[in-house]
Amino acid sequence: MTAESSAPVPAPGADRPAALTLGAAITAVEGAALAVVGVWDMVAALSGQSKQLALNEFGGLVIVLLGVAPILAARALLRIRPWGRSPAVLTNSICLPVAYYMWQSGGAMTAVGVGVGLLGLLGIGALLSPKATAALYAPHEG
């Protein structure tokens, strides 16, 4: 057995900075939330809560697909694929106007809006951090 073959194999993601992992996790949570809202919209339409069945079914499907995109971007970030950062930053950026309108509606939505806004800002900060940028765009040995 040579020294090279007995060297420990690094764990998956060992060279991935915590900021990149955090940004990917936040993006995946946001994508999952979108997908859940889309499914809920379709189920609500089927259960008779909506008078425009086809519109709600199509709208729910679109929202589910919009939720899948950030999940795929988060998966790419976990695999340190640079293409995943743009859709992830876009998803986190969209949280800011959503948070503003939730905050404006008052009541319990104010607290939810603050949470959504903070989550979006945290995601943007993590994904644009110098360590995340270096991990995604540094030349890799291949």
Side-chain angles (χ1 to χ4, degrees), residues 4-12 14:
E4 290 178 13
S5 64
S6 64
V9 177

Short mmCIF file of all heavy atoms in Angstrom, two decimals, residues 4-12 14:
data_model
loop_
_atom_site.label_atom_id
_atom_site.label_comp_id
_atom_site.label_asym_id
_atom_site.label_seq_id
_atom_site.Cartn_x
_atom_site.Cartn_y
_atom_site.Cartn_z
N GLU A 4 -0.08 7.33 -1.14
CA GLU A 4 -1.16 7.99 -1.84
C GLU A 4 -2.47 7.23 -1.71
O GLU A 4 -3.53 7.82 -1.57
CB GLU A 4 -0.81 8.14 -3.32
CG GLU A 4 0.28 9.15 -3.56
CD GLU A 4 0.62 9.24 -5.04
OE1 GLU A 4 -0.14 8.71 -5.87
OE2 GLU A 4 1.66 9.82 -5.35
N SER A 5 -2.41 5.90 -1.75
CA SER A 5 -3.65 5.12 -1.69
C SER A 5 -4.20 5.03 -0.27
O SER A 5 -5.37 4.75 -0.09
CB SER A 5 -3.43 3.72 -2.26
OG SER A 5 -2.49 3.03 -1.45
N SER A 6 -3.36 5.27 0.73
CA SER A 6 -3.87 5.18 2.11
C SER A 6 -4.26 6.54 2.67
O SER A 6 -4.69 6.64 3.80
CB SER A 6 -2.80 4.55 3.01
OG SER A 6 -1.67 5.41 3.07
N ALA A 7 -4.14 7.59 1.86
CA ALA A 7 -4.53 8.92 2.32
C ALA A 7 -6.04 8.96 2.52
O ALA A 7 -6.79 8.39 1.74
CB ALA A 7 -4.10 9.98 1.32
N PRO A 8 -6.49 9.63 3.57
CA PRO A 8 -7.94 9.71 3.79
C PRO A 8 -8.64 10.48 2.68
O PRO A 8 -8.11 11.46 2.16
CB PRO A 8 -8.06 10.43 5.14
CG PRO A 8 -6.78 11.17 5.30
CD PRO A 8 -5.73 10.37 4.57
N VAL A 9 -9.80 10.02 2.33
CA VAL A 9 -10.60 10.68 1.31
C VAL A 9 -11.37 11.80 1.99
O VAL A 9 -12.01 11.59 3.01
CB VAL A 9 -11.58 9.67 0.66
CG1 VAL A 9 -12.47 10.36 -0.34
CG2 VAL A 9 -10.82 8.52 0.05
N PRO A 10 -11.29 13.02 1.45
CA PRO A 10 -12.01 14.12 2.09
C PRO A 10 -13.52 13.91 2.03
O PRO A 10 -14.04 13.35 1.08
CB PRO A 10 -11.60 15.36 1.30
CG PRO A 10 -11.09 14.85 0.01
CD PRO A 10 -10.58 13.45 0.26
N ALA A 11 -14.19 14.35 3.05
CA ALA A 11 -15.65 14.24 3.10
C ALA A 11 -16.27 15.12 2.03
O ALA A 11 -15.69 16.14 1.66
CB ALA A 11 -16.15 14.65 4.48
N PRO A 12 -17.43 14.72 1.51
CA PRO A 12 -18.09 15.58 0.52
C PRO A 12 -18.35 16.96 1.10
O PRO A 12 -18.85 17.09 2.20
CB PRO A 12 -19.40 14.86 0.23
CG PRO A 12 -19.20 13.45 0.69
CD PRO A 12 -18.17 13.51 1.77
N ALA A 14 -16.05 19.10 1.93
CA ALA A 14 -15.02 19.52 2.88
C ALA A 14 -14.37 20.83 2.46
O ALA A 14 -13.97 21.61 3.30
CB ALA A 14 -13.96 18.43 3.02
#
